[in-house]
Amino acid sequence: MKLNAGAVPTGRRNPSRIGQVRPSHLVTTAGVGSIVDLPTMSVIVRSLDAWSPERQETIQEPRLLAEVQRVLGQQVRALRKAPWDPSETDDPYTRVGVPVTPFPGWVRCPRCHRLGPLDPPGQFDLVHRYGRRPDLAKWVHSQCQRQTTTREVNKRACVPARFIVACDNGHLDDFPYVEFVHVNATQPCGGAKLVMLDSASTLGPQVTVRCAECGASRSLQEAAGKTGHEKLPLCRGRHPHQQRFEACGSPLRLMVLGASNLWFSVTASALHLPQAESVEDLVRAHWKVFGPAPSQEFMQMMVDGMNDLRNLRSVPSDELWALIEKIRAAGGPQPEETSGDLLEDEWRLLAKPTTTRQDADFRATPTATPVGYDDLLEQVVQVTRLREVQALVAFTRIAAPDRRDLIPHNRVSLSRGATQWVPAVEQRGEGIFLQLREDAVSRWVGKVANHPRLIALQAAHQRWCQNRDQPYVPGFPIARFVLLHTFSHLLMRQVALECGYSSSSIRERLYIGRPTKPAAGVLLSTAASDSEGTLGGLVALGSARYLKRLLDQAFEDASRCSSDPLCAEHVPEFPSDTLHSAACHACLFASETSCETNNRWLDRAFLVDITRDGLAFQL
């Protein structure tokens, strides 16, 4: 996907191509409000107001659209793909693409160390080689005395100033270099010429900013740490992706360009669920045709004449008319049972897969349960075809939201006003669904309800919510969730070794249900943007002969960790708010793209008896 630089202080009215990213990254890692590092510059993706929705195809997924409308409002009308032009032949002047603008707005010359803003123009100029090399666009210091060449195209590219500031409300701004350096002056000197002296690669006393006009100098280390906000002004409420300001006044935090906590996506995803193909379901789906039918003869004429009803032509006329009369007597077709919960609808289909609920984008077949795991697994389902649609609804900064929380308190809007559409991506792939025995899980949950490790996690959860100004909602099924989540990570690590896909490309989907309708299932899947999906390496491991070996190895590996005994004995204690116990990077943690909850709610002691305290789920 091309990146078009708009609002660049170059004097040019038309946007310029300066790079490209994958369409899927516009939802996961390089979405609206994120900073994208290009070879020679750094840019921020603009808000949806600046995009070109007329060049974006619509993705049809009613369940996901309804969820997005629940979060953002009924004014959301569509899920749209990344913009593209089917007639485009790699034209460098095309306007099709994602609009971006340079950020941070300060750059540093690598030769003379001059530090200055891009706006107003004059000190730094944009050099863009139009043609097939948009990656060669760069900012140069036009007045640098240490570069002997007079041709700007041959000058060394300036690098983005690597310090910025952010606040807990999601605002992002350039570091206030001029005010920070001249803190002791009554007012900044009129011709401030700043120089950044960076003799080390890390933040420390060596990173200083000095004014060449008045000689004022200050180390950036003063703005770092827990008390660094005291040396910085209050937040002025800047949203660079929306190019606007709003009231804020919160403390600022020094951030390094490229930090992983500068942008977290808030996404909603849904699996495609096929419609049933039974006669009754087809009649209900076309009730606008069958409902007003005055006679059996008229009904048969409609069936024979309408192409949409061709699947009903083999049904005897008497049987079809009797079914219509039955539905009429019941007061018309009742709406299909749906919970409004994306995961609950998926669980209902995965737990009871049938051949009548399959199509080109969903195929699920139950397979044999591995020998020795009948007490743990209710069934194993090989999902040979699946389609997942993922939509970006918002983003956060500094604090990562829970994957299941679509309304975090610190979320930032994707547009200035009410969002009319959201970017989305559809992927096709495969997966393995494992359903745990509900009777065994329920008995174990009741048995360990008052276990000290569970109480410690509950207390840590309260502290976690308090530290982030979020309401604590009691009743979260900690035991059930940690059991399923730990089991998912154990199996996911083993599957990644043999399925042929990287560990970061395998994703988990947990089904825990509600208190009134509990569930216990795990879906491990992998998907690709290609219309053909993936190659079957993951679903093949769902066969009993392979899955038994993977499960045996997973439970064996869970019994030990290279960080033991520290890992095995870890329990969150006051004032810690970590939401995991016996888990670390050596044994359970997965990549950010794989885990639903950012590696929270994990504990090996829930599955294997590593603490000798009776907590482990007994197979």
Side-chain angles (χ1 to χ4, degrees), residues 558-601:
S559 63
R560 60 182 181 273
C561 173
S562 59
S563 299
D564 284 341
L566 294 178
C567 177
E569 297 176 354
H570 173 257
V571 176
E573 299 178 352
F574 182 84
S576 173
D577 62 356
T578 56
L579 298 180
H580 67 266
S581 294
C584 67
H585 287 282
C587 59
L588 280 182
F589 285 178
S591 63
E592 182 179 343
T593 56
S594 300
C595 180
E596 273 198 349
T597 59
N598 299 300
N599 288 317
R600 304 182 187 117
W601 306 114

Side-chain angles (χ1 to χ4, degrees), residues 97-164:
V98 176
V100 298
T101 191
F103 188 87
W106 286 65
V107 294
R108 173 173 172 261
C109 177
R111 293 291 296 168
C112 66
H113 309 299
R114 175 59 57 83
L115 179 69
L118 299 176
D119 196 19
Q123 185 175 188
F124 300 95
D125 296 328
L126 178 65
V127 178
H128 195 296
R129 288 183 177 180
Y130 291 95
R132 299 185 181 274
R133 295 298 304 274
D135 57 298
L136 296 180
K138 61 182 179 180
W139 294 95
V140 299
H141 186 198
S142 57
Q143 303 172 1
C144 181
Q145 302 297 323
R146 295 191 178 184
Q147 301 191 59
T148 57
T149 179
T150 57
R151 297 186 59 192
E152 290 191 346
V153 71
N154 293 330
K155 291 184 178 181
R156 292 184 60 181
C158 294
V159 296
R162 61 189 180 95
F163 299 105
I164 51 182

Side-chain angles (χ1 to χ4, degrees), residues 464-485:
W464 188 90
C465 293
Q466 181 180 2
N467 293 341
R468 289 157 181 79
D469 295 327
Q470 296 187 15
Y472 171 73
V473 180
F476 179 73
I478 294 178
R480 179 181 293 264
F481 193 92
V482 176
L483 176 69
L484 289 173
H485 196 201

Side-chain angles (χ1 to χ4, degrees), residues 43-251:
V43 297
I44 191 167
V45 181
R46 294 277 301 277
S47 65
L48 299 182
D49 311 277
W51 290 39
S52 302
E54 66 274 5
R55 297 294 184 93
Q56 300 177 245
E57 293 182 356
T58 300
I59 299 177
Q60 299 298 333
E61 188 55 55
R63 295 173 57 248
L64 182 58
L65 179 58
E67 180 70 2
V68 174
Q69 290 174 337
R70 181 188 68 82
V71 176
L72 299 181
Q74 295 298 317
Q75 79 283 348
V76 180
R77 296 302 180 188
L79 311 173
R80 298 187 183 275
K81 295 182 180 179
W84 71 295
D85 185 358
S87 63
E88 181 189 334
T89 56
D90 202 26
D91 183 1
Y93 296 96
T94 181
R95 293 175 177 268
V96 179
V98 176
V100 298
T101 191
F103 188 87
W106 286 65
V107 294
R108 173 173 172 261
C109 177
R111 293 291 296 168
C112 66
H113 309 299
R114 175 59 57 83
L115 179 69
L118 299 176
D119 196 19
Q123 185 175 188
F124 300 95
D125 296 328
L126 178 65
V127 178
H128 195 296
R129 288 183 177 180
Y130 291 95
R132 299 185 181 274
R133 295 298 304 274
D135 57 298
L136 296 180
K138 61 182 179 180
W139 294 95
V140 299
H141 186 198
S142 57
Q143 303 172 1
C144 181
Q145 302 297 323
R146 295 191 178 184
Q147 301 191 59
T148 57
T149 179
T150 57
R151 297 186 59 192
E152 290 191 346
V153 71
N154 293 330
K155 291 184 178 181
R156 292 184 60 181
C158 294
V159 296
R162 61 189 180 95
F163 299 105
I164 51 182
V165 289
C167 79
D168 292 331
N169 294 325
H171 298 120
L172 191 66
D173 208 344
D174 291 301
F175 187 88
Y177 293 102
V178 176
E179 295 81 358
F180 181 76
V181 172
H182 298 88
V183 63
N184 295 323
T186 55
Q187 62 180 7
C189 56
K193 297 181 179 180
L194 302 183
V195 177
M196 177 178 283
L197 304 177
D198 186 0
S199 59
S201 59
T202 58
L203 179 62
Q206 297 87 353
V207 182
T208 58
V209 178
R210 180 174 57 85
C211 178
E213 288 289 330
C214 63
S217 178
R218 199 175 185 188
S219 171
L220 287 180
Q221 191 180 32
E222 297 182 30
K226 295 183 178 180
T227 61
H229 65 277
E230 299 175 357
K231 307 296 178 63
L232 296 172
L234 296 178
C235 178
R236 56 178 185 165
R238 183 186 182 190
H239 282 310
H241 70 292
Q242 299 177 357
Q243 297 191 345
R244 71 181 182 93
F245 294 83
E246 63 184 14
C248 184
S250 299

